C-alpha cells in the first residue's frame, strides 16, 4: 500500500465491482454443484478473497468457488455415508481446512513442483470430462425433476433418460431461455455480466408471474448476514476417508490457480509469480476461510479474465469484490428468494461447457499420437469411473508414458559430413555423410540408468554386428548423457570387457561435467582408459585414424593412387 499509485484505483475499483457482481450468481450456482445451499457460495467468495489479497503474488488472480472443485467436493462427500445436510455442510467446511493445511504444508516444504506431474494432456482430458459431468448433473434443475446424482456419465444419462417423461415444461422453458440470454449477451454484449442478467430476469419472471406456485423450484430463503466465526468440526474417523479427496483438491486447485496466474503474468510480462508462495497463499485462504464456513476455493479462470480485462492493477480489486459480496450478504439476500434453480443451472452449464477444449486434442492428433491417446484415456476414465479416479489414473498413465520414453531413448548412428569435422545422424544427412567400416559412432540421447541399460546394450550390440568383422572402434558420443547410475556402470564395465575380447576399442567423447564426475568416482574412467576419452567426436576419430596409420592425408593419397590412369 505505501507504493500504491492513485492512477491504479479506477481500474481496481471497476474490476472489483464487476467481479463482485459476477461472483454472486456464480458463487450460488457453484455451491449447488457442491451439494450445498446457495448461500455457501457467497461465504466462499468472502474471506478467501481477502486472505489471498494479503498473501498471494498474482495481482489479478480472483479467488473463490469454482466449478471443478465444487464437483470434486460433491464427488468426494457423496461417497461417504453422511446422516444429513448438517453433517454434509460440516464435512465440506472441514474439507476446506484439510486441503488448506496440505497446501500450506506443501508450500512451506517448497513442493510446488508437484503440479508438474499433472501434464497438459491429462488436465485437458480431465477438464473436458469434468465439464460434461458438471453440465449433466444440472439436468435435474433444468428439467425440474428429481434425478439421482452420480459422477459417472453412464449413470447420469440413464437416470436423466428415465426422468424425461416427467419433465416440468415451464422449468425447462425458463432454463433454456436463461441459457440463450447468457450466451447471447456473452456474444453481443461481452462487457455486461450475462449471468447476472439471467438471474435478474429469471427472478423477476417468477416473482411477477407466480411461477413458483406452478411448480418452478426456487432458491427460497437465503440467510442474511455475514458468516459466523467457528472452528470446523473435526471428525478423526473421517480424516482417512477424506485424505484422497483433500489431496486431489489441493493439487487440482493449485494447478488451476497457478495456470491462470501464469497466463496473466505472461500477458503483462511483469510481477513474477512465486509458485511456492502461491501454495502458501491458497492454503491460508482455505484455512482461514473454513473458520467462516467457506468450502474449498481456488483461483477461477473466468473471473480472473474479467478482473484483468476490467483493468485490475493490484489485489485491491479482490478487496472490492469481497466488499460487494459482503454487502450482498448483509442487505440483498431477500432479493434472491424467488431466484429459480433452473437459472442457476443455466449459469453453470454455460460456464462449464466453455471449459471443453477441442482445439488441443486436434493438435495432438496431428502431431503427438501418444499424448492424444493419454488425453483420450483420461477423458474416458473420468467420464466412466469418476472424477477422482479419472485424474489419478491419468497421472499414473502419464508417468507410465514417461517411463516408457526414457526406457527407450533416441539413439543416433553418426557419420562425418563430407569435408568437415562434424558428425551427424546418418538418417538425417544421408546424402552428405561419410561412413567408415572400422568405426561405429553413436550418440545416446538420455540418462543411462537401470531402466534403459539393457536397451542401450542391446542396440549397441546390434549395430556392432551389422558393421561386421571390419569394426575396430566404437565411439560413444556422451554429450546428451547427464547421469549414469550404478546399474548402468556395471553394464558398461561388462560391455567394455566384451568389446575388448572381440578386439574392439571403446572411446568416449563429449562427456559433460556431472557425467565425468560419475565416471571418475565409480572408477569407470580408469577402465575405459584416459587415453580413450576426448572432448569432441572428431578428436576421437582422428586419434584412432592416426593410431592405425591411416591419417586423413594418407587416405587421400591411397585413394588417388588407386585410381586407374586416364
Amino acid at each position: 500500500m505505501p507504493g500504491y499509485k492513485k492512477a491504479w484505483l479506477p481500474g481496481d475499483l471497476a474490476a472489483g465491482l464487476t467481479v463482485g457482481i459476477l461472483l454472486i450468481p456464480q458463487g450460488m450456482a457453484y455451491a449447488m454443484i457442491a451439494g450445498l445451499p446457495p448461500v455457501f457460495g457467497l461465504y466462499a467468495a468472502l474471506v478467501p478473497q481477502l486472505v489471498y489479497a494479503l498473501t498471494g503474488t498474482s495481482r489479478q488472480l480472483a479467488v473463490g468457488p469454482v466449478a471443478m472443485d465444487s464437483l470434486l467436493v460433491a464427488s468426494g462427500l457423496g461417497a461417504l455415508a453422511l446422516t444429513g445436510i448438517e453433517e454434509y455442510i460440516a464435512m465440506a467446511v472441514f474439507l476446506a481446512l484439510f486441503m488448506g493445511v496440505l497446501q500450506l504444508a506443501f508450500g512451506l516444504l517448497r513442493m510446488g513442483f508437484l503440479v508438474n506431474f499433472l501434464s497438459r494432456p491429462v488436465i485437458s482430458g480431465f477438464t473436458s470430462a469434468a465439464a460434461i459431468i458438471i453440465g449433466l448433473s444440472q439436468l435435474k434443475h433444468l428439467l425440474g425433476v428429481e434425478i439421482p446424482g452420480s459422477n459417472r456419465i453412464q449413470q447420469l444419462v440413464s437416470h436423466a433418460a428415465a426422468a424425461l417423461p416427467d419433465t416440468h415444461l415451464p422449468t425447462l422453458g425458463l432454463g433454456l431461455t436463461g441459457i440463450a440470454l447468457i450466451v447471447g449477451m456473452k456474444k453481443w454484449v461481452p462487457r455486461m455480466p450475462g449471468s447476472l442478467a439471467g438471474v435478474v430476469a429469471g427472478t423477476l419472471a417468477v416473482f411477477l408471474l407466480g411461477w413458483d406456485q406452478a411448480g418452478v423450484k426456487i432458491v427460497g430463503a437465503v440467510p442474511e448476514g455475514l458468516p459466523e466465526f467457528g472452528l470446523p468440526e473435526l471428525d478423526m474417523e473421517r480424516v482417512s476417508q477424506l485424505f484422497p479427496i483433500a489431496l486431489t483438491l489441493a493439487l487440482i486447485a493449485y494447478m488451476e490457480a497457478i495456470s491462470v496466474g501464469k497466463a496473466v503474468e505472461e500477458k503483462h510480462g511483469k510481477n513474477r509469480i512465486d509458485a511456492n508462495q502461491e501454495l502458501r497463499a491458497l492454503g491460508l485462504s482455505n484455512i482461514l476461510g473454513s473458520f467462516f464456513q467457506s468450502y474449498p476455493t481456488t483461483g477461477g479462470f473466468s473471473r480472473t479474465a474479467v478482473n484483468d480485462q476490467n483493468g485490475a492493477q493490484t489485489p485491491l480489486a479482490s478487496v472490492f469484490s469481497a466488499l460487494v459480496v459482503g454487502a450482498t450478504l448483509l442487505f440483498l439476500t431477500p432479493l434472491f428468494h424467488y431466484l429459480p434453480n433452473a437459472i442457476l443451472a443455466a449459469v453453470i452449464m454455460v460456464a462449464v461447457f466453455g471449459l471443453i477444449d477441442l482445439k488441443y486434442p486436434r493438435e495432438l492428433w496431428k502431431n503427438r499420437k501418444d499424448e492424444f491417446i493419454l488425453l483420450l484415456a483420461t477423458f474416458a476414465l473420468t467420464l466412466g469411473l469418476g472424477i477422482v479416479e479419472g485424474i489419478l489414473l491419468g497421472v499414473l498413465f502419464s508417468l507410465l508414458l514417461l517411463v516408457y520414453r526414457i526406457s527407450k531413448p533416441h539413439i543416433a548412428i553418426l557419420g562425418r559430413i563430407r569435408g568437415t569435422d562434424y558428425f551427424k545422424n546418418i538418417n538425417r544427412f544421408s546424402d552428405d555423410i561419410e561412413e567408415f567400416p572400422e568405426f561405429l559412432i553413436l550418440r545416446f540421447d538420455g540418462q543411462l540408468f537401470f531402466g534403459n541399460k539393457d536397451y542401450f546394450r542391446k542396440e549397441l550390440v546390434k549395430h556392432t554386428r551389422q558393421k561386421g568383422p571390419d569394426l575396430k572402434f566404437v565411439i560413444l558420443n556422451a554429450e546428451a548423457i547427464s547421469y549414469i547410475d550404478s546399474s548402468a556402470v556395471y553394464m558398461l564395465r561388462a560391455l567394455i570387457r566384451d568389446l575388448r575380447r572381440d578386439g574392439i576399442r571403446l572411446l568416449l567423447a563429449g562427456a559433460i561435467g556431472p557425467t565425468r564426475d560419475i565416471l571418475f568416482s565409480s572408477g569407470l574412467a580408469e577402465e575405459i582408459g584416459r587415453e580413450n576419452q576426448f572432448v569432441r567426436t572428431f578428436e576421437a576419430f582422428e586419434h584412432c585414424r592416426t593410431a592405425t596409420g591411416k591419417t586423413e592425408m594418407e587416405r587421400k593419397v591411397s585413394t588417388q593412387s588407386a585410381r586407374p590412369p586416364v
Side-chain angles (χ1 to χ4, degrees):
M1 291 305 295
Y4 191 84
K5 299 178 181 178
K6 292 182 180 179
W8 294 343
L9 184 60
D12 284 342
L13 183 60
L17 293 177
T18 304
V19 171
I21 292 170
L22 180 64
L23 255 172
I24 296 167
Q26 271 196 358
M28 297 176 75
Y30 293 159
M32 286 177 56
I33 296 176
L36 296 165
V39 71
F40 281 86
L42 301 182
Y43 294 162
L46 190 60
V47 173
Q49 279 202 98
L50 296 173
V51 176
Y52 182 83
L54 294 171
T55 57
T57 58
S58 172
R59 292 193 171 198
Q60 286 82 23
L61 189 67
V63 170
V66 297
M68 190 76 69
D69 289 8
S70 299
L71 182 62
L72 285 169
V73 169
S75 174
L77 297 183
L80 304 180
L82 301 178
T83 56
I85 187 63
E86 293 300 326
E87 187 181 8
Y88 189 95
I89 292 172
M91 287 298 100
V93 173
F94 174 69
L95 199 53
L97 174 65
F98 200 170
M99 70 170 284
V101 169
L102 289 176
Q103 287 177 326
L104 181 60
F106 290 154
L108 293 173
L109 295 173
R110 307 188 68 81
M111 296 175 67
F113 67 88
L114 285 173
V115 77
N116 296 332
F117 290 104
L118 297 169
S119 65
R120 189 176 176 191
V122 169
I123 294 303
S124 178
F126 169 74
T127 303
S128 296
I132 293 173
I133 292 174
I134 293 170
L136 294 179
S137 70
Q138 298 305 301
L139 284 176
K140 62 181 180 181
H141 300 299
L142 193 68
L143 301 177
V145 295
E146 287 298 323
I147 300 177
S150 175
N151 61 353
R152 300 180 180 183
I153 190 170
Q154 62 271 24
Q155 295 177 354
L156 278 171
V157 171
S158 64
H159 293 160
L164 274 177
D166 300 324
T167 299
H168 189 253
L169 294 179
T171 299
L172 177 61
L174 185 62
L176 293 177
T177 302
I179 291 174
L181 177 61
I182 296 169
V183 172
M185 290 194 66
K186 187 176 182 180
K187 181 177 181 180
W188 303 109
V189 195
R191 295 189 66 85
M192 296 292 292
S195 57
L196 184 63
V199 166
V200 172
T203 303
L204 288 175
V206 171
F207 175 72
L208 296 175
L209 301 176
W211 283 352
D212 57 316
Q213 303 299 319
V216 174
K217 295 181 180 179
I218 59 175
V219 169
V222 179
E224 290 185 70
L226 300 177
E228 295 181 359
F229 175 82
L231 295 177
E233 295 182 19
L234 179 59
D235 187 346
M236 295 305 298
E237 294 181 359
R238 299 287 191 188
V239 170
S240 60
Q241 296 175 311
L242 289 175
F243 178 75
I245 186 64
L247 179 61
T248 304
L249 271 168
L251 294 178
I252 291 294
Y254 173 61
M255 178 276 301
E256 290 179 275
I258 202 71
S259 297
V260 69
K262 284 187 174 295
V264 176
E265 172 194 87
E266 291 172 4
K267 176 182 175 182
H268 292 280
K270 56 183 179 180
N271 304 322
R272 306 300 296 179
I273 289 179
D274 183 333
N276 290 301
Q277 178 58 28
E278 284 297 291
L279 262 176
R280 295 189 286 270
L282 292 171
L284 286 171
S285 299
N286 280 292
I287 291 171
L288 296 178
S290 70
F291 296 158
F292 294 90
Q293 303 182 56
S294 170
Y295 75 98
T297 61
T298 189
F301 288 92
S302 59
R303 291 193 301 273
T304 300
V306 170
N307 206 28
D308 184 46
Q309 291 167 5
N310 283 272
Q313 299 292 325
T314 73
L316 190 60
S318 294
V319 176
F320 290 135
S321 297
L323 290 176
V324 171
V325 174
T328 301
L329 284 167
L330 286 171
F331 307 113
L332 303 179
T333 52
L335 298 179
F336 296 104
H337 179 89
Y338 291 97
L339 173 60
N341 289 341
I343 291 296
L344 290 179
V347 172
I348 293 169
M349 286 182 163
V350 173
V352 300
F353 284 134
L355 297 176
I356 299 175
D357 188 359
L358 298 177
K359 181 180 177 182
Y360 184 58
R362 285 198 296 265
E363 292 177 359
L364 291 182
W365 172 252
K366 292 178 181 178
N367 304 312
R368 300 300 300 267
K369 294 292 194 298
D370 55 347
E371 293 192 26
F372 174 79
I373 293 173
L374 176 61
L375 184 152
L376 197 62
T378 305
F379 178 79
L381 290 168
T382 303
L383 285 178
L385 297 182
I387 299 296
V388 178
E389 294 84 353
I391 188 66
L392 293 179
L393 287 173
V395 171
L396 175 62
F397 288 154
S398 65
L399 293 177
L400 289 176
L401 179 61
L402 173 64
V403 170
Y404 175 77
R405 285 175 179 165
I406 62 178
S407 68
K408 292 188 176 182
H410 178 254
I411 294 179
I413 304 302
L414 308 182
R416 187 174 69 169
I417 297 181
R418 298 181 189 278
T420 72
D421 57 0
Y422 293 108
F423 287 78
K424 298 294 182 181
N425 190 336
I426 61 174
N427 294 322
R428 294 180 180 271
F429 299 86
S430 56
D431 294 337
D432 300 316
I433 285 289
E434 288 183 292
E435 292 187 72
F436 304 89
E438 67 270 29
F439 285 91
L440 172 62
I441 308 171
L442 75 159
R443 188 185 70 234
F444 187 76
D445 295 337
Q447 296 183 359
L448 196 51
F449 72 113
F450 66 92
N452 59 28
K453 63 180 180 60
D454 292 333
Y455 171 73
F456 170 83
R457 183 186 180 110
K458 177 183 174 182
E459 288 296 304
L460 189 143
V461 170
K462 180 183 75 173
H463 288 292
T464 57
R465 289 174 179 171
Q466 290 175 353
K467 278 289 185 177
D470 293 334
L471 180 64
K472 300 298 180 185
F473 305 99
V474 172
I475 301 177
L476 174 60
N477 182 305
E479 293 173 355
I481 301 176
S482 59
Y483 181 75
I484 302 176
D485 75 351
S486 60
S487 300
V489 167
Y490 280 98
M491 180 274 298
L492 288 172
R493 283 177 177 151
L495 181 63
I496 293 169
R497 289 195 298 268
D498 292 346
L499 290 174
R500 285 175 179 167
R501 184 191 61 212
D502 296 335
I504 300 172
R505 179 179 169 187
L506 177 69
L507 298 95
L508 197 66
I512 61 175
T515 304
R516 290 199 305 273
D517 292 341
I518 295 171
L519 292 175
F520 281 97
S521 63
S522 65
L524 193 57
E526 296 299 327
E527 294 192 44
I528 295 173
R530 300 201 179 202
E531 71 279 5
N532 293 324
Q533 298 175 49
F534 298 87
V535 175
R536 296 194 303 157
T537 301
F538 179 75
E539 293 171 355
F541 174 78
E542 281 299 304
H543 172 81
C544 294
R545 300 283 295 176
T546 302
T548 56
K550 292 183 179 180
T551 63
E552 181 69 11
M553 184 61 70
E554 289 172 335
R555 188 184 69 82
K556 290 181 179 180
V557 171
S558 63
T559 302
Q560 291 173 358
S561 63
R563 293 175 182 172
V566 178

